[in-house]
Amino acid sequence: MKNLLDFFVKHSAWFVLMLYVILSCVLLVRNNPYQQSVYLTSANAVCATVYEGLSSITDYFHLKGINEELQERNAMLEMEVVDLRAQVNDLKMQLPDTLQLQPVLQHFDFVVAHVISNSIAQTNNYITINRGEADGIKPEMGVVDQSGVVGVVNVVGKHSARVISLLNPDMRLSCKLRDSEYFGSMVWDGGDPRYAVLEELPMHLTYHVGDTVMTNGFSTVFPEGIIVGTVVGPAHNGRGNFLSLKVRLTTNFSQLSSVRVITNDMAEELKALELPPGDSIARKEDKP
Amino acid sequence: MTKTILQLAVLFVVLILVQVMCYKILLLGVAIPLVFIYLILRLPVTWHMNITLTVAFVMGLIVDVFNNTPGMNALCCTLLAAFREPVFALFVPRENEMNNPIPCVDTLGFGAYLKYMSTLVVIFSTLIFLVQAFTLHNWPLTLMRIGASSLLTIVLLLALDSLVSTRREKRL
């Protein structure tokens, strides 16, 4: 017995090493993006406080560029509003009373949030924002900024949340080309943070360099028509029967500062519809 | 002894904060500064292996939590702490009894410290980028990252060592 104890004491360093290596490997392998506790991510209270402090200093460096970008975007949107208003008025004159225009975005609302941590250097990138459960943020809500799609909320803390960035190979976003109904899925290949690949498009699709890529509104996460990027050319890793396009992202991930989280009051209703029929009936019976 | 522990504790906190910011930096698209391992290199060689391993693991885990990479830095730091002793023995002759057990330029001399430090930095960046990339097949990029990050980190750690070192106090 004494020999055994001596053996353990003498080689304790090996056992400690094994213990730590196994612990970290377990953490590493369990790195499923949808099943992490709040404590082990940047959405926990301590990390959020530190990041808030750091970002209050570093944010000033990007203000000028962001301001210019906003001005440009503002001018463009103003033009679009004027244009659309004229079109609607025109249509109303032609078709009086028969045209009841329903606002498409009536079920969506925005919560403005501030990015307190962001990375583009990793293989799996995440963003931390300073809004959480208390502000009505829930997992699987979409996040956009003034120029395009940013990501999807994934872990929510009390006053902070972690967002899976579009620059994360775990994130796939259903997109389409403007003026076509064909859709594919957008995924980042882990290389240049300015480009992503739009995969699984049909081979016969005709496209032009500079075509706009936008969300297709198939999910409850993003409304239809939010800009994601522009087509640069064919991607090299086109597999078999599908076309892949290289897309330049409109969002500048290295300069994120203010983002909007999209809340959708139809989300639960739509999700209930997508459940198998028996399941949704059971749910309804549970409710009262 | 108390002074050493206090100094290391302050260094622990400062290096974690610096590293949290450093992980957002990507120099020339490839190089990431990995400065926080300076603490693991600086732990006194007389300390028991168990303590060294624990400090390394905890430090890696804290950086991981900030960085949303659970287990990655913790694994690499633990392995780095395990490699430290053999690498130290490789470059520093045993008969050379040190009165100060902290490995730095002052105690080891520039040549020996550079060899000791750069070997461990290369080991660490190889580990971290391999672990990070194990689902990707983009090996030229991984190789570039290992090389560029190692170089950048070695330069930064030399600078850091001259900042932390107490040689100037002795001269007074």
Side-chain angles (χ1 to χ4, degrees), chain A residues 119-258:
Chain A
S119 76
I120 56 169
Q122 310 277 311
T123 314
N124 295 292
N125 293 295
Y126 293 97
I127 297 162
T128 316
I129 57 174
N130 68 345
R131 292 270 181 273
E133 223 172 0
D135 309 282
I137 309 285
K138 293 194 190 91
E140 292 186 42
M141 283 181 169
V143 181
V144 298
D145 85 336
Q146 72 272 11
S147 37
V149 170
V150 170
V152 175
V153 175
N154 132 260
V155 179
V156 179
K158 195 119 182 50
H159 295 287
S160 54
R162 187 181 73 164
V163 177
I164 298 192
S165 166
L166 196 55
L167 302 183
N168 189 324
D170 290 328
M171 160 114 178
R172 296 184 85 87
L173 181 66
S174 184
C175 291
K176 64 171 187 180
L177 293 182
R178 179 183 267 174
D179 303 330
S180 101
E181 286 308 313
Y182 295 115
F183 58 90
S185 64
M186 177 79 88
V187 69
W188 186 58
D189 55 359
D192 195 325
R194 291 169 301 171
Y195 298 96
V197 180
L198 183 58
E199 292 179 343
E200 293 165 20
L201 288 165
M203 263 323 229
H204 58 270
L205 175 85
T206 50
Y207 67 92
H208 305 283
V209 171
D211 275 356
T212 310
V213 179
M214 46 179 50
T215 55
N216 64 4
F218 279 7
S219 66
T220 55
V221 178
F222 293 105
E224 191 181 342
I226 292 187
I227 297 174
V228 181
T230 50
V231 175
V232 182
H236 299 297
N237 57 347
R239 268 171 296 157
N241 296 323
F242 292 105
L243 180 71
S244 295
L245 296 177
K246 193 176 179 187
V247 175
R248 192 188 168 103
L249 300 168
T250 44
T251 310
N252 186 353
F253 282 91
S254 56
Q255 284 192 358
L256 285 180
S257 102
S258 274

Side-chain angles (χ1 to χ4, degrees), chain A residues 11 24-25 72 86 105 149 155 169 171 187 195 216 262-263 275-276 281:
Chain A
H11 297 283
S24 33
C25 282
E72 244 167 59
L105 295 178
V149 170
V155 179
M171 160 114 178
V187 69
Y195 298 96
N216 64 4
I262 302 174
T263 60
L275 287 172
I281 291 167

Side-chain angles (χ1 to χ4, degrees), chain A residues 1-194:
Chain A
M1 191 62 196
K2 194 175 169 296
N3 280 347
L4 188 71
L5 278 178
D6 277 350
F7 173 80
F8 277 126
V9 172
K10 199 178 162 198
H11 297 283
S12 63
W14 282 105
F15 292 109
V16 174
L17 174 67
M18 296 277 271
L19 174 75
Y20 288 153
V21 167
I22 291 171
L23 251 174
S24 33
C25 282
V26 167
L27 283 173
L28 201 65
V29 175
R30 270 185 53 219
N31 188 1
N32 184 334
Y34 288 101
Q35 286 158 0
Q36 271 172 37
S37 73
V38 176
Y39 300 103
L40 279 181
T41 63
S42 58
N44 76 43
V46 180
C47 287
T49 320
V50 172
Y51 275 135
E52 287 248 33
L54 290 178
S55 81
S56 65
I57 303 166
T58 51
D59 271 356
Y60 289 101
F61 299 124
H62 306 305
L63 275 186
K64 196 166 175 248
I66 290 167
N67 215 346
E68 270 165 23
E69 215 171 277
L70 274 174
Q71 296 272 11
E72 244 167 59
R73 178 92 182 140
N74 211 355
M76 215 180 76
L77 287 175
E78 229 160 62
M79 291 300 290
E80 212 171 311
V81 167
V82 171
D83 188 39
L84 288 175
R85 203 173 274 156
Q87 277 185 33
V88 168
N89 280 340
D90 236 30
L91 285 173
K92 271 187 181 160
M93 298 257 256
Q94 285 173 28
L95 309 159
D97 278 344
T98 54
L99 190 69
Q100 288 285 328
L101 285 175
Q102 289 274 341
V104 188
L105 295 178
Q106 63 179 347
H107 299 301
F108 292 97
D109 204 0
F110 298 109
V111 177
V112 176
H114 196 71
V115 172
I116 51 177
S117 153
N118 177 22
S119 76
I120 56 169
Q122 310 277 311
T123 314
N124 295 292
N125 293 295
Y126 293 97
I127 297 162
T128 316
I129 57 174
N130 68 345
R131 292 270 181 273
E133 223 172 0
D135 309 282
I137 309 285
K138 293 194 190 91
E140 292 186 42
M141 283 181 169
V143 181
V144 298
D145 85 336
Q146 72 272 11
S147 37
V149 170
V150 170
V152 175
V153 175
N154 132 260
V155 179
V156 179
K158 195 119 182 50
H159 295 287
S160 54
R162 187 181 73 164
V163 177
I164 298 192
S165 166
L166 196 55
L167 302 183
N168 189 324
D170 290 328
M171 160 114 178
R172 296 184 85 87
L173 181 66
S174 184
C175 291
K176 64 171 187 180
L177 293 182
R178 179 183 267 174
D179 303 330
S180 101
E181 286 308 313
Y182 295 115
F183 58 90
S185 64
M186 177 79 88
V187 69
W188 186 58
D189 55 359
D192 195 325
R194 291 169 301 171

Side-chain angles (χ1 to χ4, degrees), chain A residues 9 12-14 16-17 19-25 27-29 31 36 39-44 46-48 50-51 54 58 117-124 126-128 162 169 189-191 193, chain B residues 17 20-26 32 48-51 53-55 57-58 61-76 78-79 81-82 129 131-136 138 141 145:
Chain A
V9 172
S12 63
W14 282 105
V16 174
L17 174 67
L19 174 75
Y20 288 153
V21 167
I22 291 171
L23 251 174
S24 33
C25 282
L27 283 173
L28 201 65
V29 175
N31 188 1
Q36 271 172 37
Y39 300 103
L40 279 181
T41 63
S42 58
N44 76 43
V46 180
C47 287
V50 172
Y51 275 135
L54 290 178
T58 51
S117 153
N118 177 22
S119 76
I120 56 169
Q122 310 277 311
T123 314
N124 295 292
Y126 293 97
I127 297 162
T128 316
R162 187 181 73 164
D189 55 359
Chain B
L17 286 178
V20 163
M21 293 192 73
C22 276
Y23 261 127
K24 318 288 175 209
I25 298 173
L26 187 62
I32 300 173
H48 194 269
M49 190 74 158
N50 290 352
I51 305 175
L53 286 170
T54 310
V55 171
F57 177 76
V58 170
L61 197 66
I62 295 176
V63 172
D64 273 336
V65 167
F66 272 101
N67 210 27
N68 288 311
T69 51
M72 195 177 85
N73 286 295
L75 176 65
C76 297
T78 311
L79 290 176
F129 287 110
V131 171
Q132 197 179 69
F134 71 42
T135 48
L136 283 177
N138 206 346
L141 183 74
R145 286 195 163 179

